[in-house]
Amino acid sequence: MNREFILQRYAEGERDFCDLILPTIDLSRTMLRGAAFVQSDLTRALLKRADFSHISLNSAILEAADLEGVNLSRSDLSMADLRHANLSYAILNLASLIGADLEAAYLVMTQLLGCDLSGVNLTYGTLLGASCMGAKFVGSNLRDANLSRTYLYDADFREACLTGTGLHGALYNRHTRFPVDYDLTQSGAYLIAPGVDLSKTLLSGMYLATVQLTGANLKEADLQRSDLASAHLEGANLTGANLTGANLRGADLTGAVCDRTCFTDANLTGATLPDGTIHP
């Protein structure tokens, strides 16, 4: 069964592609929204940039499959075998991956907003720069996974295994839930909240739009090219901070200390400056 046959059946209204043997099939850039591939074998399949939103891949075999840039939002991948799969730049917002096996999978810059990853195996997985806001990792195994520079606002890691997990430069807020015995002071992750100390931190290129950093200490922080649109920086200490090329559109810097702060090429359109005036 090849690509053309699958697409023809889909165009004719067929949605049931369950229990098929389709190793190495190329379905890249196709639109199969709402189809079902339950328990199908898609080992090493090419699915790059396909629209698989609202699809069912429950218990499917996707080992070593290439899903770079695929849209899997609101899809069901529960119990799927995704070992060594490439999910970099994929969209998995509000998807279910409960109990899936993602050992050594690549999820670089992947969107996992509100995704349910409860009970997944992510040992040795790479989630560098992934957006995990509101994601559930309850009871998941993240041993030796790389979550550096991930966005973990409102994420839930209760009862998860974080032994050897790399969280350097990851961002979390007061609603992020970690295991009760987890030592955040040694993790290298940054709490984003009013009044925190982020002096000399590396936050270049990070997405920080609308964040609440009122009164925060950002002295000598590297914020080059960061997106701080509509951020709350009232009374923040920005002494010596590098905001080269940063997006501060609509940000509030009322009362901020900006001694030796670098704003070269920064976008300050509509921002409230330290003296209370609005930048044109």
Side-chain angles (χ1 to χ4, degrees), residues 85-165:
N86 178 19
L87 286 152
S88 297
Y89 301 97
I91 302 171
L92 286 141
N93 299 337
L94 299 176
S96 174
L97 284 90
I98 297 172
D101 192 345
L102 288 149
E103 181 181 351
Y106 291 90
L107 294 96
V108 176
M109 302 297 289
T110 302
Q111 294 184 37
L112 296 159
L113 280 65
C115 185
D116 194 341
L117 295 125
S118 300
V120 303
N121 176 23
L122 265 164
T123 53
Y124 305 108
T126 301
L127 287 83
L128 183 68
S131 298
C132 304
M133 286 81 86
K136 295 180 182 178
F137 293 90
V138 179
S140 295
N141 186 356
L142 292 120
R143 182 183 294 270
D144 296 318
N146 183 1
L147 274 72
S148 298
R149 293 175 74 82
T150 50
Y151 300 89
L152 305 177
Y153 308 132
D154 303 318
D156 191 348
F157 291 92
R158 287 176 297 165
E159 301 177 24
C161 174
L162 296 176
T163 304
T165 305

Side-chain angles (χ1 to χ4, degrees), residues 78-277:
S78 300
M79 307 303 295
D81 182 352
L82 289 152
R83 290 173 296 165
H84 302 278
N86 178 19
L87 286 152
S88 297
Y89 301 97
I91 302 171
L92 286 141
N93 299 337
L94 299 176
S96 174
L97 284 90
I98 297 172
D101 192 345
L102 288 149
E103 181 181 351
Y106 291 90
L107 294 96
V108 176
M109 302 297 289
T110 302
Q111 294 184 37
L112 296 159
L113 280 65
C115 185
D116 194 341
L117 295 125
S118 300
V120 303
N121 176 23
L122 265 164
T123 53
Y124 305 108
T126 301
L127 287 83
L128 183 68
S131 298
C132 304
M133 286 81 86
K136 295 180 182 178
F137 293 90
V138 179
S140 295
N141 186 356
L142 292 120
R143 182 183 294 270
D144 296 318
N146 183 1
L147 274 72
S148 298
R149 293 175 74 82
T150 50
Y151 300 89
L152 305 177
Y153 308 132
D154 303 318
D156 191 348
F157 291 92
R158 287 176 297 165
E159 301 177 24
C161 174
L162 296 176
T163 304
T165 305
L167 288 168
H168 187 75
L171 308 182
Y172 68 100
N173 60 13
R174 298 196 190 280
H175 298 291
T176 307
R177 306 180 73 173
F178 291 96
V180 292
D181 57 348
Y182 187 67
D183 186 3
L184 273 167
T185 62
Q186 303 298 317
S187 69
Y190 301 137
L191 172 62
I192 302 299
V196 295
D197 185 0
L198 293 169
S199 56
K200 298 184 179 181
T201 53
L202 176 61
L203 294 166
S204 59
M206 298 297 283
Y207 181 78
L208 295 163
T210 74
V211 293
Q212 296 282 344
L213 286 170
T214 302
N217 181 12
L218 291 157
K219 184 177 180 180
E220 297 180 14
D222 185 349
L223 289 155
Q224 296 182 75
R225 302 177 305 283
S226 291
D227 189 346
L228 287 152
S230 300
H232 291 271
L233 296 162
E234 300 97 314
N237 183 1
L238 291 163
T239 302
N242 189 350
L243 286 151
T244 300
N247 179 17
L248 288 152
R249 188 182 184 91
D252 193 341
L253 291 89
T254 304
V257 180
C258 296
D259 183 30
R260 295 181 288 105
T261 305
C262 180
F263 288 103
T264 303
D265 296 325
N267 182 359
L268 289 160
T269 305
T272 303
L273 302 180
D275 62 2
T277 59

